[in-house]
Amino acid sequence: TNADPNKGGSVGTSGQTAQPGTSSSKPTTSRRAQLSTSLQTSLTMVAGGGSNFHSEFRNDPVVKEMRHVREENARRQKHDYSHVFRNKSRFDFVRISAVIMGMEFVYSAETAFVSPILLSIGIEHQLMTMVWGISPLIGFFLSPVIGSISDRCRSRFGRRRPVLFALGVGLITGCILVPYGKNIGSWFGDLGEIVDDPANTFNGAAALIDLNGTIVSDAFRSYNFYRVDEEIAEHRTDYRWAIVITIIGTILTDFNADNCMTPSRAFLLDVSLPEDHGRACSTFSILAGLGGSIGYAMGGINWDNTSFGEFLGGSIKTVFTLVVIIFTICLTISLTSFREIPLPLLESDELLRPLTEATIKKEKARRQNQIFVVKDVSKALTAQLQSIQSPQDAVPQKINNALVDVERAPPAKDADVELEEEDENVQMGPMDFIKSIVMMPKSIAILCLTNLFCWMSHLSYALYFTDFVGEEVFKGNPAAPSYSDEYKLFLEGVRYACFGMAIYSISCSTCSFTIEKLIKVLKARTVYCGGLILDAIGMACMAFFPNKVTVYVLSA
């Protein structure tokens, strides 16, 4: 598995499409992905990787014939589904995978600005960390349910697209609530910033600051505040409704973005041929890296100095507005790219199901059986004719041996196919799912424990990096008054950090194209452990030497 350009998840794929009614046993479904659901903030994408579809089948005449029969059958349906059994171009994969690029735009805005937004409305660092933990906790219980719905949805629009549409609507809603939480809160009575005037400019009264940082009134009584730094004890805020709305928006954004990943890839693999899965996943990875890089770079622009940014109310609101527009366009492109075969049709017509290796082997065994039967009849007739002509002569030993081989060969192949089909159709219940975690082999448990520590480190970087740069590198303060120099320095640091995240995203995309070759040369253990050591050194150096140069260099 290779690095995701944004949050780098740990969802494996076998390159096979999910069969109807077997949600628990398929690698492309969300259930298998939930082995580490609480950490599933993104999706691992295989760049240029192969699939389990053996190369020996690609030019096999039997496979070509089976595919042609299925393509013609799919074309004769009420809606034309023949594209499922045709090779697709790179542009087709771009259309199908467009949604992942939109999601990476969302992720870039989320990781760059949600922490500063939460801090600016008075939430302390400790509480902000708890807010980030709510979404994975909910996902631990609901993500398997969503995965099951994605596998068993009986809509006429298919299995994946309705789920993607519902999650997309939730994602857009969250992206609207997060930046506009203050505005919505003001409709419910939030007063915003209340700043005591130490210079007695307003005759000792408190001044009220509106959402744009302008002093609008000076006759307000004292209000309780949520967070006060020692340096700005005179700064008080009234964001009660804004805090609730922003937290809800954060949970909606993070939860829906996390759960959009697996159905989007399942949709990609469902409508692609097995031998195209490598190119499909590489396109998926390229678009993810592109979306993350552009998204972070977009967050680094100071939109306050533009008329468009001024119209929307500042840089953060501008970025989220653009992200919502881009994600909506990308989601629409993916949902309208190719029709999915509905589940009822898949269940009723075997020729509409994906052409898997087990299906091919079963067909080959059936045809070979027919050949053996013909040979068996031919040899039996020859032996019978020989016995009539020369009753005193025994049937040649070669014919007897051939008949014995014929009788033994086909059942062995049929048994193999039956075993494969049994493995494919095995159901995995909730208790089996829990047992697979508790009773895992020691080597897998060690890797899972290592993965736990890796995610603790990586999420600290991804979610708090912009806040770290704003506070430690630029010496800003997110809780300072919006008109103060400390707050302006903090926003400048956040924008600077966005370019660092863009560099990080580009480096991840580049790594995904080289990691397979590195593994072949250096072996997987060396690449894996070496990467973790480099990450640890980079994080430590960034913590001990926080400056503008290390931010860019060590992000890569």
Side-chain angles (χ1 to χ4, degrees), residues 342-362:
L343 182 57
L345 272 180
L346 286 172
E347 293 175 338
S348 61
D349 192 344
E350 186 177 355
L351 292 179
L352 289 175
R353 298 179 188 177
L355 192 59
T356 61
E357 292 181 23
T359 307
I360 295 172
K361 290 179 180 179
K362 183 179 179 181

Side-chain angles (χ1 to χ4, degrees), residues 244-263:
V244 174
I245 293 167
T246 305
I247 290 176
I248 293 174
T250 301
I251 296 171
L252 279 174
T253 301
D254 200 44
F255 177 80
N256 287 284
D258 291 348
N259 287 279
C260 266
M261 288 291 184
T262 305

Side-chain angles (χ1 to χ4, degrees), residues 25-271:
S25 61
K26 291 302 170 183
T28 55
T29 60
S30 293
R31 184 70 59 83
R32 180 65 56 87
Q34 301 317 315
L35 289 175
S36 56
T37 308
S38 61
L39 304 177
Q40 184 191 2
T41 51
S42 186
L43 176 67
T44 298
M45 286 153 293
V46 180
S51 69
N52 283 349
F53 196 81
H54 293 166
S55 57
E56 63 187 78
F57 293 142
R58 296 187 180 182
N59 298 317
D60 193 304
V62 176
V63 176
K64 289 183 178 180
E65 180 184 345
M66 294 175 67
R67 184 172 297 154
H68 178 71
V69 171
R70 282 164 168 73
E71 184 177 344
E72 290 300 321
N73 179 62
R75 187 177 285 109
R76 290 192 297 267
Q77 303 299 318
K78 181 179 178 181
H79 298 289
D80 186 4
Y81 301 110
S82 59
H83 56 268
V84 176
F85 302 99
R86 291 200 306 263
N87 293 103
K88 290 179 175 58
S89 64
R90 181 73 71 173
F91 179 70
D92 292 333
F93 292 135
V94 169
R95 291 170 58 197
I96 302 170
S97 306
V99 63
I100 185 62
M101 184 170 70
M103 275 189 279
E104 289 298 330
F105 273 97
V106 173
Y107 268 134
S108 63
E110 180 191 23
T111 55
F113 293 113
V114 168
S115 293
I117 290 174
L118 294 175
L119 292 172
S120 68
I121 59 178
I123 298 180
E124 296 182 3
H125 285 84
Q126 295 88 340
L127 296 178
M128 180 184 67
T129 303
M130 294 177 63
V131 171
W132 278 117
I134 295 175
S135 172
L137 182 63
I138 297 174
F140 183 82
F141 299 100
L142 292 186
S143 291
V145 177
I146 295 175
S148 180
I149 294 173
S150 173
D151 288 336
R152 293 184 168 88
C153 179
R154 306 184 71 83
S155 169
R156 62 189 179 91
F157 297 105
R159 293 182 291 168
R160 317 298 182 189
R161 293 191 298 169
V163 176
L164 277 175
F165 176 78
L167 294 173
V169 171
L171 186 61
I172 292 172
T173 303
C175 285
I176 294 174
L177 293 180
V178 168
Y180 290 96
K182 290 182 181 180
N183 300 73
I184 299 174
S186 66
W187 299 344
F188 291 96
D190 284 354
L191 298 178
E193 292 183 69
I194 305 165
V195 182
D196 291 332
D197 179 36
N200 205 30
T201 306
F202 301 98
N203 299 321
L208 178 67
I209 311 298
D210 69 4
L211 297 173
N212 294 321
T214 306
I215 299 176
V216 295
S217 181
D218 59 354
F220 288 91
R221 57 185 175 84
S222 299
Y223 286 88
N224 292 329
F225 52 88
Y226 295 94
R227 178 179 185 269
V228 178
D229 283 351
E230 294 181 0
E231 302 84 358
I232 51 169
E234 72 279 3
H235 181 219
R236 293 175 292 165
T237 58
D238 184 73
Y239 286 126
R240 289 167 293 182
W241 283 103
I243 289 175
V244 174
I245 293 167
T246 305
I247 290 176
I248 293 174
T250 301
I251 296 171
L252 279 174
T253 301
D254 200 44
F255 177 80
N256 287 284
D258 291 348
N259 287 279
C260 266
M261 288 291 184
T262 305
S264 64
R265 185 179 56 175
F267 172 49
L268 172 68
L269 300 182
D270 282 350
V271 298

Side-chain angles (χ1 to χ4, degrees), residues 415-441:
D416 291 340
V417 173
E418 288 176 2
L419 284 175
E420 288 185 20
E421 289 182 340
E422 185 179 351
D423 289 340
E424 280 192 355
N425 296 322
V426 64
Q427 294 289 334
M428 186 178 182
M431 292 305 299
D432 296 324
F433 173 68
I434 295 175
K435 287 180 181 178
S436 69
I437 299 176
V438 178
M439 305 298 292
M440 66 176 65

Side-chain angles (χ1 to χ4, degrees), residues 266-533:
F267 172 49
L268 172 68
L269 300 182
D270 282 350
V271 298
S272 305
L273 291 177
E275 61 264 36
D276 286 341
H277 286 175
R279 286 197 308 136
C281 289
S282 67
T283 306
F284 201 84
S285 180
I286 291 170
L287 291 181
L290 181 65
S293 303
I294 298 177
Y296 285 123
M298 189 170 65
I301 300 174
N302 186 3
W303 295 95
D304 292 332
N305 297 332
T306 64
S307 57
F308 183 66
E310 185 178 353
F311 172 75
L312 292 175
S315 290
I316 295 178
K317 293 178 181 177
T318 303
V319 170
F320 272 94
T321 301
L322 292 174
V323 162
V324 168
I325 294 173
I326 292 171
F327 175 76
T328 303
I329 295 173
C330 292
L331 179 64
T332 303
I333 292 173
S334 291
L335 295 181
T336 57
S337 57
F338 290 97
R339 284 183 179 274
E340 283 186 272
I341 303 177
L343 182 57
L345 272 180
L346 286 172
E347 293 175 338
S348 61
D349 192 344
E350 186 177 355
L351 292 179
L352 289 175
R353 298 179 188 177
L355 192 59
T356 61
E357 292 181 23
T359 307
I360 295 172
K361 290 179 180 179
K362 183 179 179 181
E363 177 65 17
K364 282 178 170 289
R366 185 186 68 82
R367 296 192 181 201
Q368 199 164 9
N369 272 335
Q370 291 178 343
I371 295 175
F372 281 128
V373 169
V374 172
K375 288 182 177 180
D376 190 8
V377 173
S378 175
K379 291 173 181 178
L381 290 175
T382 302
Q384 185 179 5
L385 182 61
Q386 182 178 356
S387 63
I388 293 174
Q389 293 177 348
S390 305
Q392 70 281 5
D393 297 335
V395 178
Q397 187 63 31
K398 288 184 178 180
I399 294 179
N400 283 333
N401 293 341
L403 291 175
V404 171
D405 293 340
V406 165
E407 291 173 357
R408 289 178 179 174
K413 293 186 179 180
D414 288 340
D416 291 340
V417 173
E418 288 176 2
L419 284 175
E420 288 185 20
E421 289 182 340
E422 185 179 351
D423 289 340
E424 280 192 355
N425 296 322
V426 64
Q427 294 289 334
M428 186 178 182
M431 292 305 299
D432 296 324
F433 173 68
I434 295 175
K435 287 180 181 178
S436 69
I437 299 176
V438 178
M439 305 298 292
M440 66 176 65
K442 181 181 178 181
S443 57
I444 302 299
I446 292 173
L447 283 175
C448 288
L449 184 63
T450 307
N451 197 40
L452 170 65
F453 292 133
C454 292
W455 273 90
M456 291 170 63
S457 169
H458 183 66
L459 286 182
S460 298
Y461 167 82
L463 300 183
Y464 307 121
F465 179 68
T466 53
D467 172 52
F468 165 77
V469 175
E471 291 192 54
E472 297 298 326
V473 178
F474 281 74
K475 306 302 179 184
N477 193 328
S482 57
Y483 59 85
S484 65
D485 293 336
E486 291 89 347
Y487 187 74
K488 292 177 182 177
L489 281 174
F490 176 76
L491 291 183
E492 185 181 350
V494 170
R495 287 193 294 268
Y496 188 87
C498 285
F499 287 114
M501 296 289 277
I503 294 174
Y504 146 65
S505 183
I506 294 172
S507 66
C508 284
S509 299
T510 305
C511 179
S512 67
F513 288 104
T514 59
I515 193 168
E516 296 290 345
K517 295 180 180 178
L518 285 175
I519 289 175
K520 289 179 181 179
V521 175
L522 303 175
K523 305 302 179 184
R525 185 194 300 268
T526 304
V527 174
Y528 183 62
C529 297
L532 299 185
I533 292 173

